Amino acid sequence: MLSVVNDDSTTANGSSLIDEIVREGARRMLAAALEAEVNAYIAELVDKRDETGRRLVVRNGYHQPRKVTTAAGVVEVKVPRVNDKRVDAETGERKRFSSAILPPWCRKSPKISEVLPLLYLHGLSSGDFVPALEQFLGSAAGLSAATVTRLTAQWQADHAAFMDRDLAEVDYVYVWADGIHLNVRLEEAKACVLVLVGVRADGSKELVALKDGYRESAESWADLMRDCARRGMRAPILAVGDGALGFWKALAEVFPATHEQRCWVHKTANVLDAMPKSAQPGAKKAIQDIYNAEDKQHARAAIKTFAQLYGAKFPKAVKKITDDEAELLAFFDFPAEHWIHLRTTNPIESTFATVRLRTKVTRGAGSRTAALAMVFKLVESAQARWRAVNAPHLVALVRAGARFERGRLVERTEVIAA
């Protein structure tokens, strides 16, 4: 029910009229959705009857009203109640209706739960949540310091469980690796977050591991990959990373059969840093001609052209490419549809670009586990928006050992028995 408006466009309780309209609209839409969900459930089971012909699934009033914190503010809802008299044949227990829109445990929308770690990472202390968000959401429900503390404890438990999960049933064909320096509540001054993102056989991207390390050292990376191998992770076909020697040394130790692909974004930046600014625009275009080449043969020709153009004046810059030629062009041996994904570590960089913005000014006290848990929850929420690689059906062929030339699948010669 909307309140009477004062001359200054506020209601009797001091809130804005437009906010009340939005909250009232959200409440009515949520109520309508819950009613429709229950009606559909009952309609689907209308033929289920007992021996006397009475229906086994019927409406049974409403549950007690409860307040739910949403992006539109706090709304009070009454969830329809269902009397389901059916019995599960296997367990012998009564079946129960559970709303997919508003589960019994839900007191805040996923978006609200997602914004809490964002604010916490940005430096907002747990005690500041109520004054910061109460006016915006119209209520302090679910935003107390104790609530945030419980959430952070749960996030730490979620991260610990994630890093201890079984990887034997998952197959990562490609992986991207990067060390992200965030400067958020990590105990060592030179600590960073080591991240592995993989592509499953169905083409979907997934966070594989997230752990703190020291200076992206070989031992830190080896610890991470040994732990993944211990939990059943198979050797990826291709690993993509920057020029950090620590990762490649560890990869050769733990997964020696995995092919190496250097990130062209990092490599381009390193090469241009070794050249004067006046030469950088032309050099950048010449470098793009290499990784955008039609195939590996043309890419090698583009490298020779780059060396001819800049080798005399900038031998150190050219050497950065010629010394890593095999690792820089490894992606050409895979499906052409995957090249755009495999030549850079962009899947990690793009995700952590937002995380970096939110942690740039954070200097608050806190434990290492709490910081990692915050970063983990941010990446976990971002993961839902990751799209699969192009031509996902080809990923399984890569794992199966199919050969690709110039980006196209080479059909195996069929041997006909005499």
Side-chain angles (χ1 to χ4, degrees), residues 174 331-339 391 393-413:
Y174 304 131
F331 73 93
F332 282 110
D333 295 329
F334 295 88
E337 293 87 346
H338 297 172
W339 291 355
H393 63 284
L394 295 177
V395 178
L397 293 179
V398 172
R399 170 56 81 185
R403 191 161 60 92
F404 293 83
E405 289 184 1
R406 303 185 68 183
R408 293 194 172 192
L409 176 66
V410 176
E411 299 291 346
R412 296 178 179 177
T413 304

Side-chain angles (χ1 to χ4, degrees), residues 281-337:
K284 184 176 182 180
K285 177 63 171 62
I287 292 173
Q288 290 172 342
D289 289 341
I290 300 173
Y291 62 76
N292 286 328
E294 181 182 350
D295 52 35
K296 183 179 284 190
Q297 181 180 352
H298 287 85
R300 285 173 174 158
I303 289 179
K304 290 181 179 179
T305 300
F306 180 79
Q308 292 170 357
L309 290 173
Y310 299 100
K313 292 184 177 180
F314 315 112
K316 290 184 179 179
V318 171
K319 200 169 184 294
K320 291 176 182 291
I321 290 182
T322 55
D323 284 357
D324 291 338
E325 179 175 326
E327 291 79 9
L328 285 168
L329 304 184
F331 73 93
F332 282 110
D333 295 329
F334 295 88
E337 293 87 346

Side-chain angles (χ1 to χ4, degrees), residues 125-172:
S125 68
S126 56
D128 291 333
F129 273 78
V130 172
L133 296 180
E134 183 176 9
Q135 290 298 318
F136 178 71
L137 296 175
S139 170
L143 299 174
S144 67
T147 299
V148 177
T149 300
R150 286 194 299 270
L151 279 173
T152 55
Q154 181 59 52
W155 294 332
Q156 292 176 44
D158 291 345
H159 179 235
F162 174 80
M163 290 300 294
D164 198 39
R165 74 196 190 286
D166 184 15
L167 296 178
E169 301 300 321
V170 187
D171 185 14
Y172 299 111

Side-chain angles (χ1 to χ4, degrees), residues 96-242:
R96 294 179 180 273
F97 166 76
S98 181
S99 172
I101 299 173
L102 190 65
W105 47 265
C106 183
R107 292 296 182 274
K108 60 175 67 68
S109 73
K111 281 295 180 185
I112 296 299
S113 297
E114 183 178 320
V115 80
L116 296 182
L118 294 181
L119 293 174
Y120 191 78
L121 266 175
H122 198 59
L124 191 67
S125 68
S126 56
D128 291 333
F129 273 78
V130 172
L133 296 180
E134 183 176 9
Q135 290 298 318
F136 178 71
L137 296 175
S139 170
L143 299 174
S144 67
T147 299
V148 177
T149 300
R150 286 194 299 270
L151 279 173
T152 55
Q154 181 59 52
W155 294 332
Q156 292 176 44
D158 291 345
H159 179 235
F162 174 80
M163 290 300 294
D164 198 39
R165 74 196 190 286
D166 184 15
L167 296 178
E169 301 300 321
V170 187
D171 185 14
Y172 299 111
V173 181
Y174 304 131
V175 295
W176 295 279
D178 206 353
I180 308 298
H181 297 267
L182 295 175
N183 244 352
V184 286
R185 302 172 181 177
L186 297 178
E187 294 168 350
E188 297 287 347
K190 297 187 181 296
C192 64
V193 179
L194 305 181
V195 185
L196 282 179
V197 172
V199 175
R200 300 173 61 124
D202 63 359
S204 61
K205 299 172 188 172
E206 185 174 271
L207 178 66
V208 180
L210 187 150
K211 182 182 178 182
D212 62 326
Y214 182 73
R215 285 186 173 180
E216 299 186 61
S217 67
E219 189 55 38
S220 295
W221 275 115
D223 283 344
L224 177 61
M225 286 188 282
R226 279 195 293 262
D227 180 63
C228 291
R230 176 187 61 79
R231 290 185 281 128
M233 179 177 170
R234 294 178 63 187
I237 299 297
L238 181 72
V240 187
D242 62 16

